[in-house]
Every structure is written in C-alpha cells, then in structure tokens.
Amino acid sequence: MADQYGLTETDLDPGLDGHDFPAVRMASNASPRLLEALLSHGWQLSPFYRPDNLGLAMRYGPNAYMDGRVDGVYDSPLLRAIESGQLTNMGILLRAGADPNGQSIRSMYEYGKRFARLSYRNAGIQDNDLNLQSNVQVDRNAAAYTGKITKAEVEEGPARFWAGKKFPPPLLGAMNEAMTAIEMAARKGSIEALRAILTAGADISFWLSSPPSPPLVLSHSALSVSSPLHAAIEERNTEMLKELLMCSFNPNLLPLGAHISCLSPLMTALACEPPNIEACEILSSEGDIDMNLRSPVYQIHALHIATAQLSVSLLQYLSGKLPLDRAGKTALGHTLLHVACLPLEPSEINQSSSLITSSITRVRTLSRQPLSRSSCSSRTSLSSQVDTVNYILSNSHCSVVEQDELGNTALHYLASYADLNEPLIALLRSSENDRSHSWNTSRNQRGHTAEELYFDGKNNATVEKDRRATESERRNGRGGVWRGRGWGIG
C-alpha cells in the first residue's frame, strides 16, 4: 500500500537502531510530495503501527524532535528542511503544525545546562517543570548566573581568559548543537526561511530585549546558548545580519543561556578568524549599540577580544571608535597588556616547569575548539606580539607592573612560554613604567616572580631535552654513556 504514495520501506523505517526519524529524513528530500505522503499516511503504513504507540507515531509527524538525550543528536524536520535548503518542505511542515521554534524546549534546556554557570535546579527550577508547551518561570535568584566572579572561578584552569573552564563542553559521539529554526535560518543565510518562521510565531522575545538581563521566563530564545545575530556573524551572512537588525534584534544581545562564555555580537565579529570587519561596521552604525558593553561574569570588553588577535591594524580600527583605556580590566584582572602576553594555547606553555604550570592557568585563544596541551596548528607570532604590545604601551596607560587576580604580571606570562619571546621580554624589562623592576620583585599568588618562572622553565626544558635524547639513544640501541646535563646513564 505504501507504493501508491511512493514511500519505500526505508522511508518508513522508524529509526529504532539510532538512525534519524522518518520525518527528519524526509524533510531534506527534494520531493515535497513524499514528505506530504509521510506526514499524512506514514505512521499508518509503518510495519510498527499500533494506534496506542504515540511515541513512535511522533517520529512520522511534523514535530519529530530528536532531543539528544540518548545519542546527543538534536534535530527536527523543520531544522533539517532549512539546513538542506528545502524551503518548500519547510512550508509543508509549518502548515502541518510544526512548532516554528524547530526545537523542543526540553532539548534547549538539556543542551543549555552544559553551558550553565549554575545548575538550573539550584535556581529553583526542576527538570519536570519543562514540557513542550510551557515556558518555565525562573526564581529571581537566577541573577546569580551572571553575578560577580568567584574565587574558585578565578583559580580554575586551564581555561580561556574570556570563559569558564567548562567551555566548551565536550561533544560526545555524534552530538551536535541544539538550536532553534531561526538560528538555523540565520546560519544558512536564508532570509525567506527567517521571514516564514517569524510569521509562524517563533519565540524571539529574549533576543529583542534591551538591556540584556537574566530572563524571568526560560523561553526558547532565553535558553539558547547563541542567537540568530551570532549565527549570521559567524557565517559572514551580511544580508541576514542587516535583516535581523531591521527586525529589531538587539545589537547588544548577550546570550545568557551560555553564562560562562557569552560574547556580544560585536565581540563575536572581532573573534572571527579573520575578524568580520563588515559586521563590525554594520553593528557600530546602529544607533543603540553599546561599544563598551561587557560580558557577564568575566567582564570582557570588545578591546580585550581585539587584542587577543595580536593585530595592530585591528586595534587601530577599533581605537578610532574607542580609546584603548576604555577596556580597563577583566574580572580576572587582565589588562590589554596581560591579554597580549598570554600564551595562545596550553601547548605553548612550558610544561617541564611545575612553577610555570601551577602559575599559568589562562590562555588567549578565541577558538571554540577544546584546549590542547599537544602541539596545535596555530602558534603565536612573536613579531605580531611585539608590535601589539608596542602599540598598547604607546596608546594606553597599561603598565608592566600591574598584576592580575592571580598576581601575574605580563612578564609572568611571557616567561611561561616554551618558545620564549626574548625581544619582548627585554622590551618590557626596559620599559619606563617598570621602574620597580617587577621582573624580579613582583610575586604571584604561588610566590613566584617572572624571573623565577623564566629560569626554572629554561633549566627544566634543558633537562627534559636531555632526557628525551637519552631515551632516543636507547630506543635506537646505540648504547654508550650519556653525559647530558643532570644525567649519568650507562
């Protein structure tokens, strides 16, 4: 009987073995007729059909949510149709009753918990409060999500200077991001899809609110760890960005669903690789843009993000709109000078010195990939670092002697590198604003000066190099006596 509708056994497979649900698969099919047939008759034609099996029946309908709790896959027919560019299928799904949000609120909640600073349960929210129809009223203690940084958060690491240690949470197996249909439309640059979803009544309430503040209702938009603006900027969909701003999306939006890592749209544009200057121009031309907005918890300013790129031209571009001194300090006590001197990744930190590894817990990378202690593809350009520091010293009141919340100066960070930037260390040591000789007088919370980190790192690196050479000799079976520094091995 399925033949008369053009549906095959494969089309009707309910996906019990971990495959996608039938409606999700069919949403990307180039034949709208088959999607219509599946939505109308698929469940009745399924070999698993039972009138009382509502769980399986859902897999053949317009809201066949794959909620990620089992295999980490967050998807729906509406999301799949937009992602694959099948906008006729998108229209069919919306007319058939698809939720224009494209994702269950349960999925947004479950995924967002991985980015939360606190457990939602700690803020008076219970898991069983959530269902597909209702929003969740939030205890007013939810403001603690974005409150002042704690001592434990200051000391945790390794972590980025702009985010918490838990970021990014690991994607397990086939896990993907949980996002709304509007975010998918923004990512794909489909203005047609955006307009259709808005017309259908998708929730965008939090993305329009100004100023951004912890929500009292956890709607789809409030639970999202990103936003359509961020998606358009990251994918460099300029026309989509303009369309969203015309629809009154807040240019100062902070996606507070990701308490430990959220950045504003402007910061996101600056963090792109390479920086999305076109988006910066569009955003900065908005009359209500707040160029001095800071992220919650870590108190990051757009100038801190720009500095992390080690690009003088980028800082020159921004300084035409913002004096560098507007940056001030982050919640971790980092000035622009600290940020410029941070190691890019843990792999750049001299791992052979326990003094260094116990002192240096923050890195400069703007990447959202997991941090790695092994070698990474990108490295700090020593010449760009020198140029950036020179520009900061010449155009701001940043001082070499300033210590962050862990007591580290910029020189502490420079002394931590496996590959030392000797010219920059010499430059800062001879700097006019280091007359107190912080190199060998300023001690961090571990009790170490930059000079002590520098020499301990160099000495231990030499020992480690000799040890590896000895192991190599042994593996090669050359025998003999090795008389490297610190070793006497026969």
Side-chain angles (χ1 to χ4, degrees), residues 11-71:
D11 294 335
L12 297 172
D13 180 349
L16 296 176
D17 55 358
H19 292 161
D20 292 344
F21 295 171
V24 174
R25 296 195 305 268
M26 195 60 75
S28 61
N29 193 293
S31 174
R33 181 179 61 83
L34 291 178
L35 176 61
E36 290 178 322
L38 184 81
L39 294 176
S40 300
H41 309 289
W43 174 226
Q44 289 78 9
L45 297 173
S46 169
F48 293 87
Y49 174 72
R50 285 205 327 266
D52 60 340
N53 194 335
L54 299 182
L56 274 186
M58 175 274 296
R59 299 184 178 207
Y60 296 80
N63 291 311
Y65 296 122
M66 301 176 65
D67 69 5
R69 280 180 288 174
V70 177
D71 55 10

Side-chain angles (χ1 to χ4, degrees), residues 164-217:
K165 183 179 180 180
K166 290 197 301 181
F167 178 82
L171 293 176
L172 306 176
M175 181 176 281
N176 63 345
E177 300 172 63
M179 70 178 72
T180 63
I182 286 187
E183 290 171 281
M184 180 62 79
R187 176 175 288 188
K188 302 304 290 187
S190 176
I191 292 176
E192 180 182 348
L194 172 74
R195 291 173 177 171
I197 297 163
L198 288 174
T199 300
D203 170 60
I204 57 173
S205 55
F206 182 72
W207 295 325
L208 304 182
S209 63
S210 183
S213 59
L216 296 181
V217 173

Side-chain angles (χ1 to χ4, degrees), residues 101-212:
N101 292 300
Q103 194 72 263
S104 73
I105 202 165
R106 162 71 70 176
S107 292
M108 300 299 292
Y109 166 75
E110 290 290 343
Y111 184 74
K113 283 197 301 187
R114 304 163 71 249
F115 293 81
R117 188 183 185 196
L118 304 172
S119 165
Y120 286 133
R121 186 175 288 104
N122 291 344
I125 306 167
Q126 301 299 321
D127 284 358
N128 58 13
D129 289 335
L130 288 139
N131 57 55
L132 299 184
Q133 286 77 40
S134 67
N135 292 329
V136 183
Q137 297 296 320
V138 183
D139 187 285
R140 290 185 181 272
N141 289 334
Y145 295 141
T146 55
K148 187 176 180 180
I149 197 166
T150 66
K151 184 175 184 291
E153 288 170 322
V154 169
E155 295 176 348
E156 69 183 6
R160 295 157 174 80
F161 76 93
W162 53 273
K165 183 179 180 180
K166 290 197 301 181
F167 178 82
L171 293 176
L172 306 176
M175 181 176 281
N176 63 345
E177 300 172 63
M179 70 178 72
T180 63
I182 286 187
E183 290 171 281
M184 180 62 79
R187 176 175 288 188
K188 302 304 290 187
S190 176
I191 292 176
E192 180 182 348
L194 172 74
R195 291 173 177 171
I197 297 163
L198 288 174
T199 300
D203 170 60
I204 57 173
S205 55
F206 182 72
W207 295 325
L208 304 182
S209 63
S210 183

